[in-house]
Amino acid sequence: MSNLIIKGGNRLRGEVRVQGAKNSALPILAACVASGGINVIDNCPQLTDVSATLKILTYLGCKVSRDKNTITVDASCVNRYDIPRELMHEMRSSIVFLGPLLSRTGRAELYTPGGCEIGLRPVDLHISAMQQMGSDIAEEFGRIVCGSEGRLHSANISLSFPSVGTTENIIIAASTAEGTTVINNAAREPEISDLADFLNKCGADIRGAGESTVVINGVKKLHGTYHKIIPDRIVAATYMIGAAITGGNITLRETTPAHLTAVSDIFEKSGCRIRTEGDSINISAPKILKTAGTIRTMPYPGFPTDMQAPVSVMAAVSRGTTFIIESIFENRFKHIGELNRMGANIKVDGRMAVVEGVEKLCGTKVFSHDLRGGTAMVLAGLAAYGETLVAETEYIDRGCQDIEGDLRTLGADIHRENI
Ligand code: EPZ
């Protein structure tokens, strides 16, 4: 257990490199099971969610080694198709092993990850998609048992919601299924395109990833490959919020600016100036931020739900009233109570938070309730008077490789105390 201690008031300056994307690394590591060969995955962030994924890969029979941000997965000897409850529950997104196990073994026995801090996280879309591809699935008391006579077969699948995880499971399972599978209303997140790039390098035939319609021509077998994970757009945008709320000026290196269009638009509405050059993004902030008006979280390329908590901190210290609508997850405002204890003026009504900007926040002890809520608390500490103690940093460590190191590089007064 550890706390992060932040002394507010320093303006963020300088430059920092952005880590590889957690939400790309997790499905790609799981997809190694389907590849059946030796994979070298580079730019993998060192996170507790990545460690949990490696534990599952090892349990399934893969040989795994890690050298800092490079992970080697030898999946040539997968000898199980079941994942025990305790391993599934270490990480919310472990459901993404469903497609890889069905692709490789035709069978899968795992557990629904269950609800988490931000919502119920149902898996009905995943199950329905696998059933359409010929898997006979039984789900009982949170246990999912799947089997299919022979290979899965192709299907024309229309998703009622562009679910990221479901799109990923279908793409992986369809890579070695019989025939051509089409996904309609697929998720378009950049992490989907990164997964498809990885699988195509493994010999798959996937077209249209990143668009609403994805076509996968099943191939008999895949092989291992080398792949470098894309930059983490959420971590990049989180650091940009840090610059915005401290009147700072920072440059982020090794980013993909094109993945941040919706977020950059909000920064510009708030009075920040954004400049991009190649894989770098520079943000310079005004002394006083203006409200960005209404911010509605949407599937990509809309404003990302993972940025809702961080952007609520910017709204809390912007002049005017900001309306934040969380349209993706049903319980993603837990950080608001913590922000209000720091002096913010935010009212929540269902899926909407109404934020009346205040001059300053005041440091105090606050709690992380989930990964993005926890990073939002760290950001609030940067802009607050006095000292802020952010407890339960294990949530933050699930998705941020070294938040205190990166922010210290940018001039923040922040340190970790182990308790
Ligand atoms: C991925 O979660 C990300 N996680 C989340 O990031 C992100 O917030 C989310 O996509 C949306 O962008 C990873 O990639 C590991 P969904 P995922 O399936 O795949 C409902 C973070 O902080 N739904 O697109 O679970 C669901 O309840 C995490 O990095 C069903 O109803 O998201 C939610 O309301 C948090 N039935 C909505 O769809 C299903 O079968 C979006 O879920 C599946 C999903």
Side-chain angles (χ1 to χ4, degrees), residues 52 78 80 90 99 121 194 200 282 310 320 327 332 382 414 418:
V78 166
R80 306 187 76 117
E90 268 195 45
R121 311 303 287 273
D194 203 27
N200 282 338
N282 171 269
S327 52
R332 204 165 198 179
L382 297 177
I414 178 172
N418 292 312

Side-chain angles (χ1 to χ4, degrees), residues 22-23 121-125 163-165 306 328-329 332 372:
K22 164 180 88 80
N23 292 347
R121 311 303 287 273
V123 292
D124 55 311
L125 299 178
S163 157
V164 171
D306 294 345
I328 307 289
F329 286 105
R332 204 165 198 179
R372 308 302 174 183

